[in-house]
Amino acid sequence: MPSTTRESGSRSRTRRAILDAAIALLATRPQASLAEVADAAGVGRSTLHRYFPERTELLSAVVEDSMAQLTAAVAAAELDRGTPAQGLRRIIHTYFELSPVLLVLFGEHLIDTRKDLVGDLDELDAPVFALLERGQREGYFDAEVSKEWLNRVLWAVVYVGIDATAEGTMTRHAALESITRTLEHGMLARPGA
Amino acid sequence: MPSTTRESGSRSRTRRAILDAAIALLATRPQASLAEVADAAGVGRSTLHRYFPERTELLSAVVEDSMAQLTAAVAAAELDRGTPAQGLRRIIHTYFELSPVLLVLFGEHLIDTRKDLVGDLDELDAPVFALLERGQREGYFDAEVSKEWLNRVLWAVVYVGIDATAEGTMTRHAALESITRTLEHGMLARPGA
DNA sequence: GCACTTTGGGACACTCATGTCCCACAAATG
DNA sequence: CATTTGTGGGACATGAGTGTCCCAAAGTGC
């Protein structure tokens, strides 16, 4: 028997609805109550408890699901193909499009609820690290700072764009352009000059 | 002459202790209970309530105090003196040193509890905006992006350094160097090339 | 149509943070 | 030394979020 027991279509649909609503809600309000999550998912509170008996289990599932989505998206970006320059642009887009997932995972230290998955996190970032390292070797990325630092900066600047977009200050397009430009050029007009 | 009525030394000392503890605590755990705050401040819970009858009042006071500290620090950085390059380095240091205050103000949207102070926030950032604008005019800062964007990026990258320092990944010195380098150069080895 | 599954809502107990009140004790002030 | 001022701790009420249980109704598959 498949470890994955069969799930009567409706069950898996309900589960997905809850997960999606939870991710969207917790991205902006990590302390949202279960009643709010249930409401956002369009299900009763008792139904939510039926799928996730305890809050921590819901959080766990949200983390797992988010990581799975992120892993898939990063893989789809095929960072090992093309030049580092192209890879950078692709990972920027990938991160930017997955904003709710990213927010829920890192924005609020929700990952800490599942210490056992922190290891998988490295595995998840591996393709990005590989890209950064390759770029550093080829003289494209700055080798004076660590690839871990570059990864953090990458995420931080993308976050700035997500935030600016969320509050309506910029359009998605403008944000994407600013992100790319800043990551490639820094704050200066003629860097290195 | 202080319109602030007399405060028996001990009262103001207790108040400061509470405020400092609250800022330090809320910087990392914005949902910390009042009991924890009182504990961290080394006072009884009833004493805390005596100074700040309601949680919202404590939050308000924390925001006000943080903004005052930040305003003073930014003023002390004298961003209108010297070249934009020097100004940038000084504001980086200023932000970096004030990490708890910055975290409590922006890291957790705590500012939203006092909408009336959002206006003062612009006033607070004014010297930074002035620096950025001056730098853009003089051709030092990138003029292809807005000064608001530059300000956000500035804070975001400093935050990366604060975070890396907090979790022990980097020393303060290393973080400061990486922040400066990244802001000036971006992620690339030879930007603009 | 019938049996089985899934659902929503209500009722309940429990925990925890909050806020209030009071009182005895310590510290500062005169 | 006596008074005022500040403090800590306990007792208590309240409200919100959580978790459990149950049952009638709606949905699903055969």
Side-chain angles (χ1 to χ4, degrees), chain B residues 8-82:
Chain B
S8 83
S10 75
R11 268 199 78 82
S12 71
R13 246 184 297 111
T14 302
R15 189 187 152 86
R16 261 261 59 85
I18 294 176
L19 242 29
D20 289 340
I23 291 178
L25 200 55
L26 297 179
T28 52
R29 306 233 333 281
Q31 77 288 11
S33 75
L34 295 185
E36 289 176 284
V37 174
D39 214 46
V43 304
R45 199 169 69 91
S46 36
T47 300
L48 193 158
H49 269 105
R50 209 168 279 126
Y51 283 78
F52 306 98
E54 300 192 5
R55 185 178 231 276
T56 57
E57 296 186 41
L58 173 61
L59 268 355
S60 260
V62 163
V63 169
E64 280 184 22
D65 192 74
S66 296
M67 286 183 61
Q69 285 190 47
L70 186 53
T71 304
V74 170
E78 299 185 301
L79 301 183
D80 52 342
R81 290 188 165 277

Side-chain angles (χ1 to χ4, degrees), chain A residues 3 6 9 50 63 76 99 107 109-110 134 144-145 169:
Chain A
S3 45
R6 38 206 102 309
R50 210 167 279 128
V63 169
S99 49
H109 302 292
L110 215 156
R134 177 163 67 97
E144 293 290 313
V145 296
T169 309

Side-chain angles (χ1 to χ4, degrees), chain B residues 102-158:
Chain B
L102 271 287
L103 285 178
V104 98
L105 268 185
F106 306 108
E108 306 294 348
H109 302 292
L110 215 154
I111 184 74
D112 298 345
T113 54
R114 283 292 298 274
K115 301 281 186 187
D116 56 310
L117 290 183
V118 174
D120 299 16
L121 208 59
D122 295 347
E123 185 182 342
L124 194 159
D125 274 333
V128 181
F129 281 141
L131 167 70
L132 293 172
E133 201 169 7
R134 176 163 67 97
Q136 284 181 325
R137 271 202 314 275
E138 295 181 13
Y140 181 70
F141 291 127
D142 187 356
E144 294 290 314
V145 296
S146 70
K147 58 182 189 295
E148 288 81 8
W149 175 264
L150 288 179
N151 187 41
R152 282 167 179 267
V153 169
L154 172 55
W155 156 241
V157 175
V158 170

Side-chain angles (χ1 to χ4, degrees), chain A residues 16-122:
Chain A
R16 259 264 59 84
I18 293 176
L19 243 28
D20 288 341
I23 291 178
L25 199 57
L26 297 178
T28 53
R29 306 232 331 282
Q31 78 289 9
S33 75
L34 295 185
E36 290 176 282
V37 174
D39 215 45
V43 303
R45 197 167 71 88
S46 37
T47 299
L48 194 156
H49 272 292
R50 210 167 279 128
Y51 283 78
F52 306 99
E54 299 192 6
R55 184 178 231 276
T56 56
E57 296 186 39
L58 173 61
L59 270 347
S60 262
V62 163
V63 169
E64 280 183 22
D65 193 74
S66 296
M67 286 183 59
Q69 284 191 46
L70 188 52
T71 304
V74 170
E78 299 186 300
L79 301 182
D80 51 342
R81 291 188 164 275
T83 67
Q86 294 168 331
L88 177 61
R89 303 241 171 171
R90 257 176 283 152
I91 190 61
I92 289 174
H93 273 78
T94 300
Y95 279 173
F96 193 69
E97 295 303 326
L98 255 82
S99 49
V101 165
L102 271 288
L103 285 178
V104 99
L105 267 186
F106 305 108
E108 304 294 349
H109 302 292
L110 215 156
I111 184 73
D112 298 345
T113 53
R114 283 291 299 273
K115 302 281 188 190
D116 58 310
L117 292 183
V118 174
D120 300 14
L121 209 59
D122 295 346

